[in-house]
Amino acid sequence: MNSQESETDQELLKAKQTGFEPKIVGFLCNWCSYAGADKAGLAQLSYPPNVRVVKIMCTGRMDPQFVLHAFDKGADGVIILGCHPGDCHYKEQNYRAVQRHRILLRILREFGISEERCLFDFVSAAEGEKYARVIGNIIEKIRALGPLNRAKLASKDQVLE
Amino acid sequence: MDNKPVKISVFFCRCGGNISDKVDAAFIEQELKRLPDTIHFKVVDFLCGEEEKNMMEKELAEVRPDRVVVVACSPRDHEETFRRVLVKAGINPYLMQMVNIREHVSWVTVDKDRAVRKAAIYIKTAIRRVKLHKPLEKKTIDIIPEVLVIGAGVAGIKAALSLAQAGRKVTVVEKGPVIGGLPVRYEDVFPDMECGPCMLEPMMGEFLHGDHAHNIELLLLSEVSEVKGFFGNFQVKIRKNARFIDPHVCIGCGECVNPCPVSVPNDYNFGRDQRKAIYFPFAGGLPNAPVIDWNSCQRSKGTDCSICKTACPMPEAVNYEETPSVIEKNFGAVILAIGASLYDVSRFPNLGYGTVPDVVNSLEFERLLASNGPTQGKLEMSNGEIPKHVSIIHCVGSLDKNHAEYCSGICCQCAFKYNSLIAHKAPGTKVDHFLREVAIAGKSDYALYQQAHQRGETRFFRYNAIDDLKVIREGGSSFILSQTDCGKAEKIRTDMVVLCPALIPSPDTEKLSAVFEIPRDKFGFFEELHPRVDSGKTKIRGIFMAGTCQSPMDIQKTMNQGVASSGYILSELVEGRKIEVEPINAQVNSDKCSGCKCCILVCPYKAISFDEANEVAEINPVLCQGCGTCVPNCPSGSIIGNHFTNEEILEEIEGMLS
């Protein structure tokens, strides 16, 4: 992580005082979870706007560097949503995504980022209600964890060691 | 193009207030004015309307923007709509980014102020991303319209006929010496007891000699041994074994059969009768020509017997010199219609198959009931007597997690059909059904079940697990011991036991899945592209399937699938039309590729191959479906996921966090 861009403790304190609104990046697969998010919209379910969605064709496309980049550029949390096991539009690529996510969590730990900040879940094209719930839950969870303190994270060189 | 300021057209759809009630267009316009780019901002009420699309096209043609952003609904709804508008305006359709403000912002965000701020972030991010977009071209590839059908059972025949009727050239490869699959060997078929051969012969006649038969090439005793290529152009090697009889010359008189000095058990009738080394598998089998079983023929043992040739009235029909040949042909698409097999009932020693006399499986029983079978259709035991008690055991292997976990769906119907046939052929014979569940869904399928219920001679016994049944021999008679729920064993007299086994994948399913590199499901059947939406497609583009190689099914569904698979081909592989290749796919930068082959392992579509000469991976754009899994799997970062490149996604992430 680039230390120049890290927030200071003072900034964190300020965030706590003014009411912390977490920034979360959501990576959604096109076929199930993005469609599930659309369903939540069609049903006009409401959820807070803290999760910003990046669409990918499949969670198999998830590159761990996307998550690291998100944390580097100011995300307090990341959520990856894919098809339910067995439902993947591309056969079984969501399983690969699950495997990569597990490895990613270990890398995040090395940096000092809690596993709870990077969630993987399944949302089908029909589960608008689940989408709204999952989004609501992660926002609450990250809100409780507070902002990611970038000043305290290990540097890339330290992790590579 | 990099991040330099460019000219961008932004179309903001109010969606009749669905968007603009929450997200103020004027605020967005002000926000975008602060960007270094030249923004043409246009607010429209319903951008997907015909008039509005025409307006958008005109505007694009006038402004000639470098990039386009559409702020509207979900790209799953209208991305293709607006891409077409771009094409009409002469702009590459991939230079557009859609922002889903309706489903993802205005409909789900309560607070107006927060909604408009989220919308602004989304739109500004789209602008950052679209600036990195590259124009992509849909490539087109020439196709070969010819189709290969594997299997000449009912599914294969139906598929080939449908294609031939549409004028398409079809090659049908059949492993056996006759066509018609399993149903042609049945005397009667459920649910209405129609005679199997009577039902199928008109269709088979049309297939062999009808108005469109000139479009069908039938290769019997043949198997596909090698396949290369992809949808539109498969290069196929077919091994054709010798029949030693030319079916085009042979008149099917059968003069050759009787004089043959060799007799062996007839496997078409499970060894219940004998056949000669030159033989018709069964009377009425089509094409109407015998076949020489070379392993039994005396000539294979070095003698110079030529009795059949001498007996034959047609001089060129018998040819001892025929050798196996390899045929190489190219096809645009393939239909797999290889049928299924029955579960091996000898895996249940308690059911007495092979140890207790007159225990048969359903296929053997069908042959016993068939008038062209070993008993000429008389219901007889192996000692020639008529059975007084027949027991039919359902679900042998089906619905059993130690064997075939699924319900085969057709066995109950078969069992009740047997009940009806037994009543017909041996009135007074008692029939006992041992069943676990009854599967008779459908508008006509209950009739045989009801009929069985109404017959005085029928009894039903419900069993829990197949192990609760035992077929035993005692004092020259057979009995079924059935364990009841209360732990008591009932002893039921029987003369004949019919086992209705599960339908399982044919052994050729495994073989062909290796040849075509198509996946199988957990039971071993060919796996569907989608089990309901596209059950006639395999996971590999251009390879379709029909009938019981996909799943157990009845004749009706098999016929339908035959037509369905040809329908796919007639609409996707059109003569004179090229195949369009979706440009959102993966591509290898061969200068950077280290040749580690990691990508090949993760591709579910076998789209990646290894170029041995240059030691680099190669992605076939026709087979690639664009999931992008290979991109992060490449250790040297040499695979580009078009339209979802690392740069584009990283820029999007950064934009979302700004």
Side-chain angles (χ1 to χ4, degrees):
Chain A
M1 299 271 157
N2 189 336
S3 58
Q4 280 182 331
E5 286 187 26
S6 65
E7 296 169 48
T8 64
D9 284 349
Q10 263 185 338
E11 274 171 327
L12 292 179
L13 195 69
K14 199 174 131 200
K16 270 185 187 161
Q17 282 166 348
T18 54
F20 165 55
E21 283 301 337
K23 282 183 185 175
I24 300 164
V25 179
F27 295 96
L28 272 55
C29 86
N30 179 57
W31 304 97
C32 288
S33 304
Y34 194 89
D38 283 357
K39 279 278 151 53
L42 287 167
Q44 312 221 351
L45 305 169
S46 59
Y47 53 84
N50 306 57
V51 175
R52 285 93 191 254
V53 169
V54 173
K55 187 181 82 170
I56 47 182
M57 292 311 280
C58 177
T59 47
R61 176 68 183 91
M62 265 318 282
D63 194 323
Q65 66 165 318
F66 298 162
V67 176
L68 296 176
H69 192 70
F71 283 124
D72 190 27
K73 296 296 174 190
D76 303 298
V78 165
I79 183 164
I80 306 162
L81 298 175
C83 306
H84 281 276
D87 287 355
C88 178
H89 182 82
Y90 302 102
K91 281 176 64 182
E92 63 216 13
Q93 306 307 67
N94 51 351
Y95 295 123
R96 299 203 185 280
V98 170
Q99 290 170 341
R100 285 182 191 147
H101 176 249
R102 291 216 179 123
I103 298 168
L104 173 66
L105 290 183
R106 278 159 52 188
I107 299 171
L108 291 180
R109 214 158 46 219
E110 297 286 313
F111 278 108
I113 298 172
S114 155
E115 285 188 8
E116 289 173 283
R117 292 189 187 270
C118 180
L119 187 77
F120 192 106
D121 207 340
F122 307 103
V123 170
S124 81
E127 292 175 330
E129 187 271 331
K130 183 179 178 186
Y131 178 77
R133 194 175 67 237
V134 166
I135 293 302
N137 287 348
I138 184 142
I139 295 169
E140 279 324 300
K141 187 185 261 179
I142 303 296
R143 205 192 294 281
L145 286 172
L148 180 66
N149 187 347
R150 282 174 188 76
K152 285 187 180 160
L153 299 181
S155 71
K156 192 176 164 188
D157 293 339
Q158 282 171 315
V159 170
L160 285 176
E161 266 174 35
Chain B
M1 181 169 309
D2 48 28
N3 288 332
K4 282 192 207 100
V6 295
K7 189 157 72 172
I8 300 175
S9 277
V10 178
F11 292 89
F12 185 102
C13 176
R14 299 175 71 247
C15 195
N18 278 299
I19 291 173
S20 52
D21 284 356
K22 280 277 167 63
V23 178
D24 178 20
F27 177 86
I28 299 292
E29 192 175 6
Q30 284 308 313
E31 280 286 301
L32 300 190
K33 272 191 181 154
R34 292 200 229 151
L35 299 177
D37 307 289
T38 314
I39 306 284
H40 286 263
F41 194 78
K42 184 96 186 169
V43 184
V44 187
D45 234 359
F46 289 103
L47 191 58
C48 58
E50 282 311 311
E51 240 175 73
E52 287 79 358
K53 281 191 286 181
N54 289 338
M55 177 281 299
M56 181 180 171
E57 182 191 330
K58 232 177 98 194
E59 175 104 357
L60 289 174
E62 275 170 27
V63 174
R64 307 275 351 135
D66 299 302
R67 296 290 185 270
V68 181
V69 170
V70 174
V71 181
C73 54
S74 174
R76 292 176 56 86
D77 279 357
H78 280 305
E79 191 163 46
E80 282 304 320
T81 309
F82 298 125
R83 276 187 187 154
R84 280 195 293 273
V85 175
L86 262 75
V87 171
K88 277 190 178 173
I91 301 173
N92 188 288
Y94 297 94
L95 297 181
M96 176 193 80
Q97 180 72 2
M98 249 187 111
V99 193
N100 186 353
I101 292 301
R102 194 181 66 177
E103 277 86 341
H104 288 200
V105 181
S106 67
W107 273 348
V108 293
T109 314
V110 180
D111 183 69
K112 258 183 151 178
D113 183 47
R114 296 187 79 185
V116 78
R117 277 191 285 135
K118 184 177 176 185
I121 290 168
Y122 270 41
I123 296 164
K124 283 191 270 185
T125 301
I127 289 173
R128 287 176 72 158
R129 186 192 207 275
V130 80
K131 283 162 81 174
L132 300 177
H133 282 199
K134 300 217 164 43
L136 301 173
E137 298 299 334
K138 274 191 179 167
K139 282 194 195 117
T140 56
I141 289 175
D142 288 324
I143 57 125
I144 293 166
E146 274 91 339
V147 180
L148 170 68
V149 176
I150 305 178
V154 290
I157 291 176
K158 193 75 180 171
L161 264 179
S162 308
L163 289 163
Q165 277 165 0
R168 204 54 81 84
K169 293 275 180 214
V170 188
T171 298
V172 181
V173 169
E174 165 60 44
K175 195 179 157 193
V178 287
I179 62 169
L182 289 181
V184 81
R185 302 185 210 174
Y186 303 165
E187 183 76 2
D188 295 287
V189 296
F190 67 76
D192 54 3
M193 308 303 283
E194 189 178 1
C195 142
C198 309
M199 172 182 77
L200 293 174
E201 261 164 28
M203 193 175 102
M204 297 196 295
E206 214 183 316
F207 175 82
L208 292 170
H209 316 291
D211 289 344
H212 306 283
H214 62 277
N215 285 331
I216 302 172
E217 184 186 12
L218 173 63
L219 300 172
L220 290 161
L221 296 159
S222 302
E223 285 178 84
V224 170
S225 58
E226 207 183 302
V227 176
K228 275 188 203 151
F230 45 85
F231 183 44
N233 191 352
F234 290 104
Q235 296 112 50
V236 181
K237 273 190 191 162
I238 301 159
R239 187 188 152 87
K240 188 174 184 297
N241 293 311
R243 186 185 190 107
F244 305 103
I245 315 289
D246 185 346
H248 299 293
V249 180
C250 171
I251 54 169
C253 65
E255 292 290 337
C256 53
V257 175
N258 279 338
C260 175
V262 181
S263 262
V264 291
N266 183 2
D267 34 2
Y268 277 85
N269 290 331
F270 58 99
R272 183 80 178 246
D273 59 357
Q274 299 277 310
R275 63 157 170 84
K276 298 299 178 78
I278 183 166
Y279 71 107
F280 292 91
F282 47 87
L286 291 176
N288 185 20
V291 53
I292 293 179
D293 164 17
W294 191 248
N295 291 333
S296 318
C297 178
Q298 294 207 336
R299 292 185 72 90
S300 72
K301 294 162 183 83
T303 69
D304 200 24
C305 175
S306 57
I307 294 172
C308 53
K309 196 179 169 86
T310 318
C312 177
M314 305 299 288
E316 303 294 323
V318 181
N319 174 14
Y320 299 130
E321 308 309 318
E322 191 182 342
T323 49
S325 53
V326 173
I327 298 161
E328 286 185 43
K329 262 187 109 165
N330 293 5
F331 301 97
V334 181
I335 297 175
L336 304 171
I338 61 166
S341 295
L342 293 184
Y343 196 72
D344 177 9
V345 291
S346 67
R347 293 186 62 178
F348 302 92
N350 54 316
L351 298 183
Y353 184 81
T355 54
V356 175
D358 297 302
V359 178
V360 295
N361 72 22
S362 50
L363 187 57
E364 294 164 355
F365 196 59
E366 293 278 2
R367 293 306 297 151
L368 278 182
L369 297 169
S371 47
N372 62 2
T375 57
Q376 289 76 48
K378 289 195 285 288
L379 179 59
E380 278 176 4
M381 296 189 286
S382 45
N383 63 8
E385 285 175 23
I386 295 170
K388 296 265 187 314
H389 303 267
V390 178
S391 303
I392 302 175
I393 302 180
H394 299 225
C395 296
V396 178
S398 298
L399 287 175
D400 188 333
K401 69 174 189 300
N402 298 321
H403 301 278
E405 218 176 329
Y406 49 87
C407 167
S408 296
I410 58 166
C411 341
C412 281
Q413 289 266 46
C414 274
F416 298 127
K417 173 181 92 175
Y418 300 153
N419 187 303
S420 166
L421 283 166
I422 294 165
H424 210 72
K425 289 177 186 280
T429 292
K430 296 204 170 356
V431 183
D432 293 332
H433 287 269
F434 292 82
L435 38 83
R436 196 149 24 144
E437 307 290 347
V438 179
I440 44 160
K443 66 173 182 180
S444 43
D445 308 31
Y446 68 97
L448 288 169
Y449 173 64
Q450 239 173 22
Q451 224 179 69
H453 251 290
Q454 282 155 4
R455 260 190 86 212
E457 290 85 358
T458 302
R459 293 187 295 177
F460 293 89
F461 296 88
R462 200 132 196 163
Y463 71 91
N464 276 327
I466 198 83
D467 296 338
D468 295 344
L469 299 177
K470 201 166 182 192
V471 180
I472 57 159
R473 191 81 179 155
E474 245 177 45
S477 306
S478 303
F479 299 90
I480 293 188
L481 294 179
S482 166
Q483 197 75 29
T484 60
D485 279 342
C486 40
K488 243 179 74 183
E490 222 171 326
K491 191 170 172 183
I492 300 142
R493 178 75 213 276
T494 189
D495 296 322
M496 189 172 220
V497 180
V498 184
L499 306 175
C500 298
L503 221 61
I504 58 161
S506 128
D508 288 333
T509 315
E510 189 178 356
K511 231 157 77 183
L512 282 179
S513 104
V515 171
F516 284 95
E517 298 192 326
I518 40 176
R520 295 183 301 149
D521 62 21
K522 62 177 174 177
F523 306 117
F525 293 101
F526 293 131
E527 194 179 6
E528 311 87 348
L529 182 62
H530 188 284
R532 282 159 297 281
V533 181
D534 280 308
S535 66
K537 286 184 174 180
T538 68
K539 294 271 181 184
I540 302 290
R541 198 173 172 207
I543 301 177
F544 304 86
M545 59 179 157
T548 51
C549 58
Q550 180 240 322
S551 163
M553 65 181 74
D554 62 13
I555 296 172
Q556 182 192 54
K557 200 174 168 204
T558 301
M559 293 274 188
N560 281 342
Q561 277 211 335
V563 183
S565 58
S566 62
Y568 279 126
I569 291 173
L570 292 175
S571 55
E572 292 180 23
L573 187 84
V574 181
E575 192 157 10
R577 205 195 283 171
K578 295 178 176 196
I579 295 177
E580 274 198 346
V581 181
E582 185 53 53
I584 300 181
N585 55 20
Q587 197 183 324
V588 177
N589 176 353
S590 44
D591 291 340
K592 276 170 81 182
C593 175
S594 68
C596 70
K597 302 183 187 174
C598 287
C599 52
I600 296 175
L601 294 174
V602 298
C603 178
Y605 302 101
K606 313 276 178 198
I608 314 180
S609 57
F610 192 66
D611 175 356
E612 296 287 351
N614 298 309
E615 297 188 322
V616 288
E618 254 181 352
I619 299 177
N620 182 315
V622 180
L623 298 180
C624 174
Q625 303 288 306
C627 67
T629 307
C630 55
V631 183
N633 218 59
C634 176
S636 58
S638 55
I639 303 182
I640 303 151
N642 283 324
H643 211 59
F644 288 88
T645 63
N646 283 350
E647 294 73 27
E648 286 162 353
I649 295 174
L650 293 172
E651 186 72 16
E652 201 173 347
I653 294 166
E654 229 175 296
M656 288 298 190
L657 292 166
S658 61

